[in-house]
Amino acid sequence: MIVLPPEKLKEILVRAGAVDETAFDEALEEATRKRQSPVEILISRGLLNKEYFLVLVAKALGVERINLGVVKIDEQVLNLLPEDAARRRRVIPFGKEQDGRFRVAMEDPTDLETLDFLGLKLEGSVKPYLADDDDLNRGFLVYQKRLTQDYKKTIEESVQESLRSKSRGDLEEAAQDIPIVAIVDNLLEYAISSRASDIHFEMLDDGILVRYRVDGILHEIIRMPKEIHPAVVARLKILSNLRVDEHTHPQDGRFRYQLGGNMTDVRVSIIPTFYGEKMVLRLLAATQKPLSLSDLGMLEGDARSVEEAIGKTYGMVLACGPTGSGKTTTLYSILNLLNKPEVNIVTIEDPVEYDMRYANQMQVNVAAGITFASGLRALLRQDPNVVMVGEVRDAETANISVQAALTGHLVLSSLHTNDAPTVVPRLIDMGVPPFLVAAVLNDVIAQRLVRKIHLDCIESYVPERGVTESVARELAAAGVDPRTVKLPKTFYRGKGCAACGGTGYLGRVGIFEVLPVTEAVRKLIISNEFNLDNLRKVARAEGMVSMFEDGLRKVERGITTIEELFRVIRE
């Protein structure tokens, strides 16, 4: 996003009536403390619409705002500028004007040095347009179509060169071979460029299978000869500071990898399997910033419920769902809302996934005696206002968390349950008395991640009768009368294009089920009539919308597809 001096930003926003002076000054003060932009603070607080902001800035700068989601990128023009230059300069050449000027989407259309550079590189004059991160990423994805073949070819060449290498005796020596280093580097770069969240190296009887997880789905990338497996494993062990000579026990490590100006945290897990060691690399953007609740995909009613729950100075807010459903991201988005000068935030996590300024973060280290329970006890002696426990895994952690919530702390944590109401009997099963569960719970957030339709190739269609019947059955299974829910008449899907790899999807968004723990819910929890079915009925009466219904709303708005919703709900 374009960076303007605070005085200029204030002038643009206040003059247009987008925010008042007081709101801007407060956002600027918070932004300075957190090392963020005041615009990011205003957007995360729901005080400013991002698209409206871009339109205002474009008008103030005397340029046009471009949305590359609705404008086709001319690949011939795009390929006139190398991708590394486009990424470094934060620009995307996407077409030509009738007078021959190149149309270029830019993060900062006032950057005269970049405009001069583009004029020389493209060998013509340039007309700049204001673009945001989403627009630039669309252009980078078009570059990726060509790079996919380039990466695979480079990796295959490195594999063949490695097989010809003579450094096969000593593993540490083999791991330093230029071909092995090139294989690992290219696989990492290709994964980061593909927006992969995980890389799987799986040892088969006849070779190595490499798969990437992109938007929650695993894709086979390449197969490599098994002869290079020991050297590739050794290379990753060296990067992660793990024992190269250990092959029979699991190992966990991490390292940082820089691509261009971006840093990625790589978490490495290695386990012994029948044919050899399997590695899984989790990729996390080191500079990733917490999203606002709306950016997560939380609709207005659910977001309001969460904001009310975290507005209290005590109690518990729990995020639940399976592994990889975005719970940690949601908790950090909430922490970002709570991160103020007067608030002391402490966390105990395994591992620490986000680096949050002004939050005091502790990592679980069982070898050093730091567990969730022992770490939480120590943190409670640090005079905290807000405590975040990465996960409630056992009865001891659950009871300490509940006691903390009872004694004037706001406690955030995650739990593995399928839906929001099931959190209550899960805590009771962990040994927390029902009256304490009723007393401390403020809100429960259940969630999943669904793939978003790629907006560049979106199309509408009228569903077949069988689809609407399946929707009605799914609603009934969730305890919802289908007659009370308005079913979408028009559905949307992505046709598939080069930028999304032919899948029709790009990125992911949350679907949520938020259970507000109201007085009626509390009374039911401590009554003799408490059971899961009754809790669901009372929760719906108190305003809870089921996860499937929330997904249907996103289907109706063209955010995701009905097929994707069914896939995620039925997993």
Side-chain angles (χ1 to χ4, degrees):
M1 189 177 293
I2 186 170
V3 178
L4 295 174
E7 299 80 11
K8 183 67 174 178
L9 274 177
K10 184 176 181 179
E11 178 188 344
I12 292 171
L13 296 176
V14 173
R15 180 187 296 170
V19 297
D20 58 38
E21 289 193 36
T22 303
F24 184 88
D25 291 340
E26 290 175 352
L28 179 59
E29 183 180 348
E30 183 175 347
T32 303
R33 192 176 70 88
K34 293 183 179 179
R35 293 182 181 173
Q36 291 180 249
S37 158
V39 173
E40 291 174 336
I41 300 297
L42 290 167
I43 291 173
S44 69
R45 300 286 178 189
L47 300 175
L48 179 65
N49 177 274
K50 182 179 178 181
E51 187 58 36
Y52 183 45
F53 164 73
L54 291 168
V55 170
L56 290 176
V57 170
K59 184 178 179 181
L61 298 178
V63 299
E64 294 181 41
R65 158 81 176 115
I66 192 67
N67 182 348
L68 293 184
V70 296
V71 175
K72 183 175 175 61
I73 296 174
D74 185 330
E75 292 188 36
Q76 287 187 330
V77 172
L78 180 73
N79 291 330
L80 293 174
L81 184 69
E83 186 191 9
D84 61 341
R87 286 185 180 273
R88 189 172 62 253
R89 298 281 182 169
R90 304 292 293 166
V91 299
I92 292 293
F94 64 93
K96 266 190 171 184
E97 296 283 300
Q98 289 184 346
D99 59 8
R101 287 184 297 167
F102 289 98
R103 309 176 76 197
V104 181
M106 302 180 63
E107 187 175 62
D108 182 2
T110 65
D111 185 348
L112 297 179
E113 182 187 344
T114 294
L115 288 170
D116 289 341
F117 169 83
L118 290 170
L120 291 171
K121 201 73 177 176
L122 299 175
E123 298 181 355
S125 57
V126 171
K127 180 179 180 181
Y129 291 78
L130 178 65
D132 68 356
D133 289 343
D134 291 338
D135 296 307
L136 297 176
N137 287 335
R138 288 188 179 98
F140 298 147
L141 283 168
V142 176
Y143 275 117
Q144 185 181 313
K145 181 183 70 172
R146 186 187 69 223
L147 286 178
T148 296
Q149 297 303 320
D150 292 346
Y151 272 122
K152 288 186 177 179
K153 182 180 178 182
T154 302
I155 293 167
E156 287 168 358
E157 289 173 353
S158 298
V159 167
Q160 295 305 315
E161 188 176 345
S162 174
L163 291 173
R164 292 191 294 269
S165 174
K166 297 180 180 179
S167 313
R168 305 251 62 90
D170 181 78
L171 274 181
E172 291 200 30
E173 184 183 346
Q176 304 297 338
D177 271 2
I178 291 176
I180 294 297
V181 172
I183 290 169
V184 172
D185 285 349
N186 277 289
L187 284 169
L188 283 167
E189 290 176 13
Y190 183 21
I192 294 167
S193 299
S194 303
R195 302 176 303 105
S197 60
D198 303 85
I199 308 175
H200 290 242
F201 293 83
E202 300 169 57
M203 189 61 183
L204 308 177
D205 61 339
D206 59 349
I208 310 170
L209 171 63
V210 180
R211 297 194 289 174
Y212 292 170
R213 188 178 295 279
V214 181
D215 292 337
I217 305 296
L218 275 172
H219 302 272
E220 180 175 332
I221 300 301
I222 196 170
R223 290 178 182 246
M224 300 186 293
K226 63 181 180 181
E227 288 81 5
I228 68 169
H229 178 259
V232 170
V233 173
R235 173 63 183 165
L236 287 164
K237 284 181 177 179
I238 290 170
L239 289 173
S240 311
N241 291 316
L242 300 177
R243 288 185 56 185
V244 176
D245 60 346
E246 176 59 71
H247 306 290
T248 59
H249 290 87
Q251 294 192 75
D252 294 303
R254 66 192 306 161
F255 64 92
R256 281 196 161 185
Y257 189 82
Q258 185 166 356
L259 177 60
N262 298 318
M263 192 73 73
T264 299
D265 280 323
V266 184
R267 282 175 18 209
V268 180
S269 172
I270 302 178
I271 62 170
T273 66
F274 185 76
Y275 289 111
E277 290 173 283
K278 176 186 176 180
M279 298 173 290
V280 175
L281 278 56
R282 169 64 57 90
L283 309 178
L284 297 162
T287 56
Q288 185 171 344
K289 295 176 182 176
L291 303 172
S292 67
L293 296 181
S294 61
D295 287 337
L296 292 173
M298 206 173 283
L299 300 181
E300 187 177 346
D302 287 342
R304 186 166 54 248
S305 173
V306 172
E307 288 166 357
E308 289 174 1
I310 64 175
K312 299 175 182 178
T313 57
Y314 63 92
M316 292 183 76
V317 175
L318 295 176
C320 61
T323 301
S325 59
K327 300 186 296 296
T328 301
T329 302
T330 296
L331 291 175
Y332 265 96
S333 295
I334 293 172
L335 283 182
N336 191 48
L337 292 173
L338 295 168
N339 191 356
K340 299 176 181 178
E342 63 272 19
V343 176
N344 179 23
I345 296 173
V346 295
T347 78
I348 174 74
E349 305 168 66
D350 184 23
V352 173
E353 292 191 13
Y354 292 86
D355 180 13
M356 176 168 278
R357 189 168 168 80
Y358 296 109
N360 304 282
Q361 299 164 281
M362 181 188 294
Q363 180 158 320
V364 168
N365 185 343
V366 177
I370 303 173
T371 64
F372 276 116
S374 64
L376 181 53
R377 284 197 187 94
L379 291 178
L380 291 175
R381 294 191 288 271
Q382 292 287 310
D383 186 33
N385 299 106
V386 178
V387 180
M388 200 266 270
V389 183
E391 183 183 340
V392 176
R393 293 180 179 174
D394 51 53
E396 187 179 12
T397 306
N399 280 283
I400 298 171
S401 300
V402 167
Q403 291 299 322
L406 280 171
T407 54
H409 306 93
L410 181 63
V411 178
L412 311 178
S413 191
S414 68
L415 205 61
H416 285 269
T417 62
N418 287 325
D419 59 16
T422 310
V423 163
V424 176
R426 176 76 178 117
L427 287 173
I428 294 172
D429 286 344
M430 284 183 163
V432 181
F435 74 92
L436 288 182
V437 175
V440 301
L441 275 185
N442 291 351
D443 234 9
V444 180
I445 308 164
Q447 64 183 89
R448 301 287 190 280
L449 293 175
V450 295
R451 289 180 293 171
K452 294 193 294 185
I453 298 173
H454 186 208
L455 296 180
D456 290 4
C457 59
I458 192 172
E459 65 177 4
S460 62
Y461 69 99
V462 177
E464 298 176 358
R465 181 177 178 82
V467 174
T468 54
E469 291 174 350
S470 295
V471 170
R473 284 196 297 271
E474 197 68 43
L475 287 169
V480 181
D481 184 349
R483 294 171 297 182
T484 65
V485 179
K486 182 182 177 183
L487 301 182
K489 293 182 179 179
T490 302
F491 287 4
Y492 300 88
R493 62 192 171 200
K495 290 182 291 187
C497 63
C500 63
T503 65
Y505 296 101
L506 185 66
R508 291 192 292 176
V509 70
I511 54 173
F512 297 90
E513 180 177 272
V514 178
L515 167 59
V517 184
T518 62
E519 195 59 35
V521 172
R522 296 184 202 280
K523 287 180 179 178
L524 176 65
I525 293 172
I526 59 175
S527 75
N528 294 328
E529 297 179 0
F530 172 75
N531 59 51
L532 202 49
D533 288 337
N534 285 341
L535 178 57
R536 288 194 176 101
K537 290 176 184 176
V538 172
R540 285 194 62 78
E542 293 296 297
M544 184 186 82
V545 175
S546 74
M547 204 181 303
F548 187 73
E549 288 176 274
D550 186 59
L552 272 182
R553 294 175 180 179
K554 292 179 170 74
V555 169
E556 186 175 22
R557 298 182 186 193
I559 297 172
T560 190
T561 65
I562 191 66
E563 292 81 10
E564 177 70 1
L565 177 59
F566 279 134
R567 180 187 71 82
V568 170
I569 288 292
R570 292 171 177 175
E571 277 185 344

